[in-house]
Amino acid sequence: MHRRLFIGAALLLSGCSTIGITDLFQDYATQLRPVRQAVSQNNIASAQQLLPSNSRGHSNYLLNQLETARLEFLAKQNSQANETFEAVYQNMEKKRQAAKVQLSAGLEQTNSLLTNDSVIGYEPAAYEMTMLHSYKALNYVFDKQLESALVEVRRANKVQEDALKDNQAALDEQAENSAEGYPDMAELIGNVKNGFQNAFTFYLSALLYEADKQFDDAYIDYKKALEINSENSYLQQAVLRLAKKQGFDQDFEEFSKRFGKLKQAQANTGQVIVIAEQGLIPARQEFNLRLPIYTSRGDARFYSVAMPVYRAAPYAASDKTVTLDGENLPLTPIVRLEALAAKTLKDQSAGRITRQVMRLVAKEKVRAELARSGGDVGNILANIYNVASEQADTRSWLTLPSQLSIAQHPMPTGQHTLTVPGHGEITFTVGKQGLTLIFLTSINNYYDTHVVQL
């Protein structure tokens, strides 16, 4: 009797919440492993078939749509990808504006106390939203729709502005202190200050503004990118070049002192821009954190809880240079998405730990009640359920690259050749005072290119 009631309650909880039975006992990163393997093996069609399909009511729906759109991007299904990306964006806009979201979020938080964080509807992190708009912009660029691309980079920049405002408040000190024992992921995070400022989106925005002859706006966004990634020599030269072009003499003098001289370009030249997205962003893994829970008598009992963590070492790109007409150019990282992901996760650790403490208390109450009403059988079943449902929330956008790198060089008008080690040659034409974008994607055995005159 008690066994049937318990199993029925568990099934009911799963059905009434926003997850399925598979999600309850298998984490997201594990479910996506075959998809990532297919991408790495250059089998995008297989990856699209292997991707789990979730209904609108599922907690992973928006994340599933991000993965779908990314695979469409890799398959060069530009219009489909942008439709899917736009649907995620509109869904997020409605989610922010709808008054009912507070009630919905409250119900999800309540359900999570008896399962895990996976029942909470997934909301893309700020760095994921900036990449959503960046990929939409790139698709528009590939289809030669510059105005539409500019709309998307403005949206990407607004995401960062909003995130900067929202993150001004400091974390609760007590909750932060409770994270003792949680890995700091310092090697992967590196020197990034937060998880939402993305130099790539500002760089892409600046390129598009420059292509549209909006040079002041381009200069502003080049500077924003440089503020985030001040060590990138290509960004340094871009800022110097635009400061000189627009007559910002004081800025030009100050930047020249910091970064050295501007490399003068000859007449009748254009800029060749190489953007390379490399690798696959690491998946979150489970980490068992021991937390003390105090009884009514003041006694401390230690419980092990499952927390998500990044254990991967920083990505080491195999393609570190490209050759332009025989001249080697280093590919310099402009954003390490893996670092933004790790920093985002670390900043969320206090809230996650707080929920884990509440979850431990709630599950312990359920166990005690079942033990009281069902004896040893109820106690055993409750413990089995608690152990099985105690899994880390490993959800994140797992088909993103690990990092994006750039190279930029002035070239005279005419035909030129770019050589990527191990991937052959790309022949293209440079126009007078124009911008030529060469976009590369390298994910293990997957390799693709786009060449666009901006």
Side-chain angles (χ1 to χ4, degrees):
M1 176 65 177
H2 295 301
R3 178 186 177 89
R4 290 198 300 271
L5 286 173
F6 178 75
I7 294 176
L11 291 172
L12 181 61
L13 175 62
S14 174
C16 293
S17 72
T18 55
I19 61 173
I21 293 296
T22 300
D23 306 290
L24 188 60
F25 298 110
Q26 188 178 61
D27 70 283
Y28 181 79
T30 301
Q31 294 181 47
L32 261 285
R33 195 172 295 154
V35 177
R36 286 161 58 87
Q37 289 174 345
V39 171
S40 297
Q41 294 166 2
N42 193 21
N43 195 339
I44 304 303
S46 176
Q48 289 175 309
Q49 293 176 351
L50 290 168
L51 186 67
S53 179
N54 301 131
S55 66
R56 286 184 176 273
H58 197 286
S59 62
N60 293 349
Y61 177 71
L62 292 184
L63 181 54
N64 179 266
Q65 292 299 290
L66 288 176
E67 308 284 17
T68 298
R70 170 64 171 160
L71 294 179
E72 290 168 341
F73 177 90
L74 294 176
K76 292 190 174 181
Q77 299 167 342
N78 297 354
S79 59
Q80 296 97 311
N82 275 8
E83 287 179 8
T84 310
F85 279 135
E86 179 65 16
V88 175
Y89 168 71
Q90 293 298 336
N91 211 313
M92 285 296 293
E93 287 299 293
K94 291 178 182 177
K95 202 172 179 66
R96 291 191 185 96
Q97 296 170 10
K100 292 181 180 179
V101 71
Q102 297 299 325
L103 174 60
S104 174
L107 291 174
E108 289 175 353
Q109 295 279 350
T110 300
N111 281 345
S112 75
L113 293 181
L114 293 178
T115 50
N116 52 59
D117 278 0
S118 297
V119 306
I120 301 172
Y122 188 84
E123 292 191 13
Y127 78 89
E128 293 174 333
M129 289 301 295
T130 61
M131 292 309 299
L132 177 157
H133 294 301
S134 296
Y135 282 128
K136 279 197 71 181
L138 285 167
N139 276 330
Y140 283 128
V141 167
F142 299 154
D143 291 338
K144 300 187 182 300
Q145 299 179 47
L146 182 58
E147 288 303 315
S148 296
L150 286 169
V151 170
E152 294 307 320
V153 294
R154 292 188 192 104
R155 286 176 170 179
N157 293 346
K158 187 176 185 303
V159 169
Q160 298 193 65
E161 292 170 5
D162 291 345
L164 188 60
K165 294 175 184 176
D166 293 342
N167 283 268
Q168 292 299 323
L171 290 172
D172 178 78
E173 184 177 356
Q174 184 177 358
E176 181 74 5
N177 291 337
S178 70
E180 184 178 354
Y182 184 72
D184 60 16
M185 300 174 284
E187 184 182 8
L188 194 60
I189 292 172
N191 60 359
V192 301
K193 296 178 180 179
N194 55 59
F196 52 84
Q197 286 188 301
N198 185 340
F200 167 69
T201 62
F202 285 124
Y203 178 71
L204 178 62
S205 174
L207 287 178
L208 299 185
Y209 279 129
E210 188 174 355
D212 201 43
K213 311 301 181 186
Q214 299 182 47
F215 298 113
D216 283 355
D217 290 328
Y219 178 63
I220 290 170
D221 281 355
Y222 277 133
K223 286 204 301 181
K224 288 180 180 178
L226 186 62
E227 287 174 8
I228 300 169
N229 190 342
S230 60
E231 297 179 359
N232 191 295
S233 60
Y234 297 116
L235 286 178
Q236 295 169 4
Q237 285 293 305
V239 168
L240 284 167
R241 179 170 55 84
L242 265 291
K244 181 76 171 178
K245 179 180 179 62
Q246 295 306 97
F248 300 133
D249 296 336
Q250 185 175 349
D251 282 7
F252 182 76
E253 184 178 348
E254 291 178 0
F255 284 128
S256 296
K257 290 178 181 178
R258 288 178 59 190
F259 305 125
K261 295 182 179 180
L262 170 65
K263 297 177 183 178
Q264 296 293 337
Q266 299 177 353
N268 298 322
T269 62
Q271 291 287 326
V272 176
I273 300 102
V274 179
I275 298 177
E277 52 174 0
Q278 302 167 307
L280 271 181
I281 199 166
R284 296 175 178 180
Q285 299 180 40
E286 187 170 292
F287 172 78
N288 291 317
L289 180 66
R290 287 179 60 80
L291 294 177
I293 302 297
Y294 291 90
T295 67
S296 57
R297 298 179 179 178
D299 300 325
R301 294 182 181 178
F302 283 85
Y303 292 82
S304 181
V305 296
M307 294 283 290
V309 69
Y310 287 103
R311 297 184 182 275
Y315 175 74
S318 56
D319 299 332
K320 296 183 179 180
T321 62
V322 292
T323 305
L324 188 55
D325 285 357
E327 181 178 356
N328 288 333
L329 300 175
L331 283 171
T332 306
I334 189 166
V335 65
R336 292 174 52 243
L337 292 178
E338 59 185 10
L340 300 188
K343 178 59 175 170
T344 297
L345 180 59
K346 182 180 179 181
D347 289 345
Q348 295 172 345
S349 63
R352 290 180 182 274
I353 290 172
T354 298
R355 286 197 299 274
Q356 285 285 29
V357 172
M358 296 172 65
R359 184 175 297 122
L360 283 173
V361 173
K363 285 186 175 182
E364 177 59 22
K365 287 182 178 179
V366 171
R367 186 207 61 76
E369 177 59 26
L370 284 172
R372 184 189 65 78
S373 61
D376 290 341
V377 173
N379 187 42
I380 292 171
L381 288 174
N383 281 323
I384 291 174
Y385 175 80
N386 288 346
V387 170
S389 62
E390 180 56 37
Q391 67 173 15
D393 181 7
T394 59
R395 293 177 299 173
S396 66
W397 189 357
L398 287 178
T399 48
L400 284 174
S402 276
Q403 68 180 29
L404 288 101
S405 301
I406 63 171
Q408 187 166 342
H409 195 67
M411 295 295 291
T413 57
Q415 194 172 76
H416 301 278
T417 301
L418 180 79
T419 303
V420 183
H423 298 294
E425 298 181 344
I426 302 170
T427 302
F428 60 95
T429 302
V430 171
K432 181 181 178 181
Q433 295 181 343
L435 302 177
T436 303
L437 172 63
I438 302 175
F439 188 84
L440 312 174
T441 302
S442 179
I443 306 171
N444 294 336
N445 292 329
Y446 176 92
Y447 177 75
D448 198 13
T449 65
H450 295 267
V451 180
V452 185
Q453 302 295 331
L454 295 175

